[in-house]
Structures are given as C-alpha cells and as structure tokens.
Amino acid sequence: MDGIHDVGGMDGFGSPNAGGHDADSDTETDDGESEDPLAGDAYEPFHDRWEGVTYSLFVATLGNGVANIDEFRHSIERMDPDRYLTARYYDRWVTGLSRLLLETDTIDAEEFWVRTAAFAAGEGTIPEREEPGLVSDLAAGVADAYGSEGEPQEPRFEAGEEVRVENVHPDGHTRCPEYVRRARGTIEAHRGTFTLPDASAHGEPAAEPLYEVAFDARELWGEEGDPNTTVTLDLWESYLAPATVGTDAESNRESEADTDDGEKGDDADNPEGTE
Amino acid sequence: MSEGSATIDVEDHAREYDPEARARALQSLLIEKGLLSSDAVDRIVSTYEEDVGPLNGARVVARAWSDPEYRERLLDDALGAITELDIDVDEDTMEIEVIENTPTDHHLVVCTLCSCYPWAVLGLPPTWYKTPAYRSRAVKDPRGLLREEFDLDLDDDIEIHVHDSTSELRYMVLPQRPPGTEDLSEEELVDLVTRNAMIGVDRLGE
C-alpha cells in the first residue's frame, strides 16, 4: 500500500535527533525517547518497562503463530497516518499487535477494552504465571514466523543486468518502496529464493528469487541526487522487469506505447495486465 | 466505542488510552491465555538489555581489524564468522552481510519502510534510526544528513553506498581501523568501535 510508512525520499521531517514527533508528551516527561541522539553511543533498548513488555508481546504473537513478520509489519502500516507519525515507536507496535490479536480472535474486543480501562485507572493487575520452557518455544515460533529461504527457483536475472522497477501500487503489503518504482537499476547479486512479503502478509505462502539492486542517486532523484552516491535495495523478482537496452527510463516509457519491444513483449512492463 | 461493544476500532482505542495501559492489558490477557508467562517477559527484556547489544558487533570489528583471515571470512560469510565468536545468531531469522568502508567508499544502513536492523550484532536500534526523519533523508540526501546531523563531513570524492534494508537480510558496516592503533590489543580495539560507526553515521578511519 502507498502508506505513510513508506517515507523514503520525503522531505520535512526535521532532525532525527530532535526527539520531537517521537516524544510522548502525554505520559512520561523528558526521560523519554529524545535522550539517545547521536551524541551518546549509549545502548538503551527500552526507555520504559512497558516498551520491553511490548517487545515480549511481539515475541508472544509471532512465537505462538498468531501472525508472521509480514502480517506484523502490515498491521503497523495500516495505522491512521497522523498517529503513525506522532505515536511513540513502541506505541506503533502495541497498536499493530492489538489489531492482529483482535483480528485473529486471540483476544476478545470487550475484554480488551475493559482491561485497558482498568490499567489506565491504575486498577489492573498482571497475573503471575511461571512457565520456564516457554521462552525457547517462543523463540522457535518466532523463527518460523520470519520469512525464510524457500525452495530454490531459477533466477530470471543475473548480476550486471539492467532492470527497471515495476510501476505497481498494490493495496496490500509490499517491500518495494515508492521511491524506486519506475527507476532503472543494476542487479548486483542474486540472493537466493525467499518468502515473498506481498503474499505472506496476506496468508499466502509464496517465495521468489531475491536480488540486490543498485540505483544511481541521479536516477532516483534527478539533478538533486548526489553524483557520487548509490542506493541498494533487496527486491523480489516480481518487482522487476528487464530494462530495454540503450534507452533511459523516460524514452522507454514513451516507446512502450507504440512498440512491442523484444521477446518479453508488454509483459515486461505490465506483468499482470491489471493496472 | 463504548465498553461492551462487540468490536473495537483499534485507532479509537489507541486515542483513548495511553500505550502503557494497552500494553499492560495485552500482557495480562496473553499470560491468562497461556501465550506468555511472567518469566518469559523478564527473560526477553533482560536478553535485549544485557545479552545482545553493540558490544557484540564491536568484538566482531576488533577481530576483523586484528586478524586478516577473519576479516576475509567475515566479508564472505558474515553469519559464520560472527558465530565463531560465540555470538548467538538465529540463522532462521537473520541473514547478515558485512560491508567494508575504505578510504574511497562509505556505507550507510537504513530501513525506509520500518526499522530493520542487525539486532543480533548491534542490539535493538537507537531511537533516531527509527525516526521518519532519518529514514526519509538517508536515501535522498545521505551526504547532507551525515554532515548536518552526525557531524560527519565526507569529501565529495568518497562514494556513498546507502543500503535500504527491504528484505530479511541485515547490514552491518565494518569501519576502517583508526590510524595510530597498531599497538593496541584486540580488547583495546573493542573500546574504539562505536555503534554509530557500524551503522555508518560515524567513520573511524580518519
């Protein structure tokens, strides 16, 4: 989806060190997230206990097979854009996990609402229940919930080949950022065959060859691009089409209207014929 | 939106209650349902606070600086080389590639779509890494970002390679060994390695 999470290349977010949008004025004071900017190299994974608890909720949700990593990422992408930009990082996680646990009927909506109200009023209690073997079971479950290497497939592209990223705008989850779509890049390496997030996020197991693809900054950002910078991404095969040799992306787009270039035909630019 | 409704709009719920109350409610529900336990929460939190962190990456870098053959193995098969140092990496959840800075090339790691990060070697990411401000600018204006936000002014003739972590493959930067450190032991070198250098927003070579 063309969501608010897909921020690559956007302007106007200010300084990553300002805290600002990620600070939470409603709860704690300024011992919050604005305190670990570049200056210090301190390692502080959780700023409050509830953030560590939230990480544990993530492990429990994936580890028990409630959702996989792609479904989790997509649950966050579906946040209201204003909240995505203003919520603290682990608030985004709580929001996404809440959505997954409700959608799968792992928890009951009424029960959740009542329970949250109790904790907000300072009246909630966390039950004590020890289960020493659970952590390793959860770790194994998390491993299953991550996109893993699939049965090897014959790659369509090889290192050194020029490709162009498809101009696709799926409603669902994708790991093809907007800023590389329609851009021309070079295959740096074939990584193997990996779970396709676009399918996995919607409960469909599928795998495809994955490639490291390099883009010249000028190709992505025009004259604003740095002349001595490349940006590389790992992109799945269905995101890519062969680039027509000898033309740049722009003249390529013009030509495809009236010519049928090469053996791949219009399949190269419009694989499903649906857009 | 009232109590007792059969469904919840997650966003309405989140606007009404702070994240701590929502997280605690989920924690209590999942423990009751047998999906989580009190000791599991403690173990998971302490793992990230005490066991994994940038020190693991610093040990890898110091070894690579001290042992040319190890460096070769690290650049060729990062996961294998990392586990040589008894660092616990779950190969099912993470692939790692180590990329090497040189006098002419500088590498920078980002995840524009979320917050992917090589946590097995660096722990959980710092807050700035997860901000839209870093994620948006790292791919469009890395040179300006490094200069203005991280006090790292790279010469124009140093090529910048930005790695946007869009798959389950994770990137860690092998910084250059600082000059004048020839006499230091591997243990002493560990102390010179910063987390930021292994992300690529710091450069130790000069």
Side-chain angles (χ1 to χ4, degrees):
Chain A
M1 60 184 286
D2 293 335
I4 191 67
H5 66 286
D6 189 0
V7 298
M10 289 173 74
D11 294 324
F13 287 119
S15 168
N17 293 303
H21 75 91
D22 216 20
D24 188 351
S25 54
D26 290 337
T27 55
E28 303 292 314
T29 49
D30 18 344
D31 67 343
E33 304 205 313
S34 57
E35 292 291 311
D36 70 332
L38 70 99
D41 217 51
Y43 176 62
E44 189 186 358
F46 307 118
H47 302 89
D48 289 301
R49 174 74 183 177
W50 72 264
E51 296 188 351
V53 165
T54 300
Y55 200 93
S56 308
L57 298 171
F58 163 77
V59 171
T61 301
L62 268 65
N64 285 296
V66 173
N68 63 41
I69 185 65
D70 301 303
E71 290 165 328
F72 172 66
R73 292 195 182 113
H74 192 48
S75 75
I76 292 176
E77 295 164 3
R78 287 184 282 153
M79 280 177 74
D80 283 353
D82 66 319
R83 282 203 67 247
Y84 183 92
L85 292 176
T86 53
R88 273 171 74 153
Y89 178 73
Y90 280 107
D91 187 354
R92 287 184 225 149
W93 282 40
V94 178
T95 305
L97 293 167
S98 301
R99 194 191 303 277
L100 292 171
L101 292 164
L102 288 164
E103 285 177 349
T104 54
D105 292 325
T106 306
I107 60 170
D108 175 76
E110 181 178 345
E111 191 178 37
F112 180 39
W113 195 288
V114 171
R115 191 70 59 96
T116 310
F119 278 97
E123 293 161 2
T125 52
I126 306 291
E128 275 293 319
R129 195 182 69 81
E130 306 283 318
E131 188 183 340
L134 185 60
V135 164
S136 52
D137 291 348
L138 292 177
V142 170
D144 288 341
Y146 266 77
S148 53
E149 202 148 3
E151 284 294 306
Q153 294 176 17
E154 190 64 29
R156 181 183 183 189
F157 306 109
E158 57 186 43
E161 209 169 332
E162 297 279 302
V163 290
R164 191 146 47 79
V165 180
E166 297 281 10
N167 179 23
V168 289
H169 299 268
D171 289 337
H173 180 66
T174 185
R175 296 293 286 180
C176 182
E178 205 285 331
Y179 76 91
V180 297
R181 293 179 199 159
R182 289 167 292 198
R184 186 185 176 111
T186 306
I187 302 280
E188 292 285 310
H190 166 233
R191 297 289 198 192
T193 304
F194 288 88
T195 300
L196 177 67
D198 307 47
S200 171
H202 304 285
E204 303 155 23
E208 280 185 7
L210 178 72
Y211 303 91
E212 180 185 24
V213 186
F215 299 88
D216 195 285
R218 285 281 170 96
E219 168 70 11
L220 298 175
W221 314 113
E223 288 302 304
E224 303 301 317
D226 185 275
N228 202 16
T229 289
T230 58
V231 181
T232 65
L233 298 81
D234 293 309
L235 299 173
W236 276 264
E237 189 165 275
S238 58
Y239 303 169
L240 304 171
T244 308
V245 178
T247 57
D248 62 28
E250 206 155 280
S251 64
N252 198 9
R253 272 203 294 280
E254 285 165 14
S255 69
E256 76 193 31
D258 44 35
T259 62
D260 194 341
D261 44 29
E263 76 279 5
K264 302 293 182 192
D266 50 13
D267 163 61
D269 294 306
N270 194 3
E272 310 302 339
T274 52
E275 288 293 317
Chain B
M1 262 191 272
S2 63
E3 290 180 13
S5 60
T7 59
I8 277 189
D9 183 304
V10 170
E11 300 286 351
D12 288 343
H13 185 250
R15 287 174 202 276
E16 186 152 342
Y17 297 110
D18 66 52
E20 176 164 13
R22 286 177 274 130
R24 293 296 190 179
L26 292 176
Q27 179 188 12
S28 68
L29 290 169
L30 294 191
I31 289 176
E32 285 173 13
K33 291 174 193 304
L35 301 176
L36 191 58
S37 64
S38 312
D39 57 310
V41 173
D42 292 338
R43 282 274 302 281
I44 291 163
V45 171
S46 72
T47 294
Y48 282 100
E49 289 186 333
E50 288 154 34
D51 300 343
V52 300
L55 181 61
N56 284 339
R59 289 172 53 216
V60 170
V61 169
R63 174 66 59 88
W65 285 346
S66 309
D67 179 346
E69 289 178 10
Y70 181 82
R71 174 186 154 276
E72 291 291 330
R73 290 200 297 282
L74 182 66
L75 296 174
D76 182 52
D77 169 22
L79 215 49
I82 288 163
T83 51
E84 281 180 44
L85 301 189
D86 290 328
I87 294 168
D88 186 22
V89 185
D90 187 338
E91 299 183 26
D92 292 327
T93 57
M94 182 172 295
E95 301 250 334
I96 299 180
E97 180 165 311
V98 172
I99 42 200
E100 184 181 36
N101 280 350
T102 70
T104 55
D105 293 85
H106 183 85
H107 295 273
L108 177 70
V109 179
V110 65
C111 173
T112 61
L113 296 174
C114 52
S115 55
C116 297
Y117 188 75
W119 49 262
V121 275
L122 300 189
L124 296 178
T127 296
W128 59 258
Y129 183 87
K130 303 180 285 192
T131 60
Y134 178 77
R135 291 158 49 198
S136 59
R137 195 174 176 190
V139 290
K140 188 179 191 179
D141 180 26
R143 211 175 289 273
L145 174 75
L146 292 174
R147 185 177 58 244
E148 291 166 22
E149 302 292 346
F150 295 93
D151 295 330
L152 177 59
D153 198 359
L154 296 175
D155 287 344
D156 287 345
D157 57 4
I158 294 179
E159 182 172 358
I160 298 178
H161 305 265
V162 182
H163 300 267
D164 188 356
S165 312
T166 45
S167 76
E168 299 311 327
L169 192 75
R170 299 285 172 270
Y171 298 93
M172 186 188 103
V173 177
L174 173 58
Q176 289 174 266
R177 181 171 176 161
T181 60
E182 293 75 14
D183 297 333
L184 297 186
S185 69
E186 191 176 321
E187 288 72 30
E188 290 169 319
L189 289 171
V190 169
D191 293 335
L192 298 182
V193 183
T194 63
R195 173 196 65 203
N196 285 4
M198 295 182 280
I199 303 173
V201 298
D202 187 9
R203 190 168 162 93
L204 304 175
E206 283 86 40

